[in-house]
């Protein structure tokens, strides 16, 4: 089976750094995705990790440890527009299988 | 490049009625997914198509839900009859082939369904 855990809600201050954690227990692993979803909108792709380590993309970075079943999304220089839900999703071994999503972490950025 | 299109954007029906949703994936994308997203939760896969064939429909409640992708492009998802617990956002996504672990899925804006 698949189980993906992330905190339900987080609050952070504009300009600060926030780390959103994701732990997973899955029967096989073929990559982890982070998506951003603003209220009432579709999820949009942020990052993909399949090997251990940190992937940096502008203000956003994503880290993966396969041995620990753990990932985090790091958001730097927070802006008000970063207020959204952040979804962690895992793909099982076969490349043709769909993503299994966590429940998402709702991030509120305050002034 | 045009994104994934879905219609309608909103739908309100009474329980036991029928409803249908339409999705047009990104041009050239072979794989199409329908997800159900209940408020406060992540998307849950209902069905996955590769061209016009079903790859995975293990979580589709087949007694009331059906989906088709007849020509390997557009797809429709139908609920008949609807139940209160079907109130959710129905998201359509597509990807180029669906065979690579790295391949990104692109989501449409979703159809927000309310069953009264």
């Amino acid at each position: 089976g698949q189980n993906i855990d992330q905190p339900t809600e987080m609050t952070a201050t504009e300009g600060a750094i926030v780390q959103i954690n994701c732990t997973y227990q899955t029967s096989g692993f073929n990559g982890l995705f982070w998506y951003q979803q603003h209220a009432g909108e579709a999820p949009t792709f942020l990052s993909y990790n399949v090997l251990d380590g940190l992937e940096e993309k502008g203000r956003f970075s994503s880290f993966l440890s396969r041995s620990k079943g753990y990932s985090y999304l790091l958001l730097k220089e927070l802006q008000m527009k970063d207020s959204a839900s952040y979804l962690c999703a895992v793909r099982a071994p076969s490349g043709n299988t769909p993503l299994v999503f966590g429940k998402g972490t709702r991030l509120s950025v305050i002034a | 490049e045009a994104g994934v299109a879905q219609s309608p954007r909103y739908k309100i029906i009474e329980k036991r009625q029928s409803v249908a949703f339409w999705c047009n994936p990104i041009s050239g994308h072979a794989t199409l997914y329908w997800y159900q997203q209940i408020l406060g939760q992540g998307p849950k896969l209902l069905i996955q198509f590769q061209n016009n064939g079903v790859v995975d429909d293990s979580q589709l409640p087949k007694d009331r839900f059906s989906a088709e992708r007849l020509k390997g492009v557009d797809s429709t998802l139908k609920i008949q009859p609807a139940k209160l617990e079907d109130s959710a956002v129905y998201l359509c996504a597509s990807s180029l082939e669906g065979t690579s672990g790295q391949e990104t899925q692109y989501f449409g804006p979703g159809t927000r369904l309310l069953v009264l």
Side-chain angles (χ1 to χ4, degrees), chain A residues 12-15 38 59 77-84 107-111:
Chain A
T13 305
E14 192 175 17
H38 284 100
R59 293 190 299 114
E77 301 168 17
L78 280 173
Q79 302 174 11
M80 301 299 283
K81 67 178 182 179
D82 297 330
S83 293
L107 174 67
S108 298
V109 180
I110 58 176

Side-chain angles (χ1 to χ4, degrees), chain A residues 35 37 40 42 48 91 95-96 98 102, chain B residues 37 42 45 48 98 101 103 105 108:
Chain A
Y35 279 81
Q37 187 176 28
Y48 169 77
R91 194 193 296 274
N96 208 21
Chain B
Q37 186 174 23
L45 180 79
Q48 176 186 351
E103 203 167 274
Q105 294 181 23

Side-chain angles (χ1 to χ4, degrees), chain A residues 67-95:
Chain A
S67 62
K68 295 181 180 178
Y70 168 69
S71 173
Y72 67 72
L73 180 69
L74 193 70
L75 291 75
K76 303 175 189 174
E77 301 168 17
L78 280 173
Q79 302 174 11
M80 301 299 283
K81 67 178 182 179
D82 297 330
S83 293
S85 285
Y86 292 85
L87 301 165
C88 174
V90 173
R91 194 193 296 274
S94 167

Side-chain angles (χ1 to χ4, degrees), chain A residues 7-103:
Chain A
T8 304
E9 291 187 37
M10 297 182 72
T11 302
T13 305
E14 192 175 17
I17 299 173
V18 71
Q19 177 175 312
I20 303 174
N21 296 324
C22 171
T23 58
Y24 62 90
Q25 297 102 40
T26 58
S27 50
F29 177 84
N30 192 25
L32 187 143
F33 292 76
W34 284 96
Y35 279 81
Q36 180 191 60
Q37 187 176 28
H38 284 100
E41 298 183 13
T44 54
F45 170 77
L46 286 178
S47 69
Y48 169 77
N49 295 71
V50 68
L51 299 176
D52 290 353
L54 188 69
E55 295 279 344
E56 298 189 72
K57 194 184 293 185
R59 293 190 299 114
F60 292 16
S61 303
S62 56
F63 172 84
L64 176 68
S65 169
R66 289 171 297 170
S67 62
K68 295 181 180 178
Y70 168 69
S71 173
Y72 67 72
L73 180 69
L74 193 70
L75 291 75
K76 303 175 189 174
E77 301 168 17
L78 280 173
Q79 302 174 11
M80 301 299 283
K81 67 178 182 179
D82 297 330
S83 293
S85 285
Y86 292 85
L87 301 165
C88 174
V90 173
R91 194 193 296 274
S94 167
N96 208 21
T97 54
L99 299 176
V100 178
F101 284 86
K103 293 184 177 181

Side-chain angles (χ1 to χ4, degrees), chain B residues 52-69:
Chain B
N52 61 349
V54 175
V55 174
D56 185 346
D57 65 355
S58 56
Q59 297 189 87
L60 187 74
K62 298 181 186 62
D63 57 333
R64 299 185 299 107
F65 285 65
S66 64
E68 59 183 14
R69 194 185 184 200

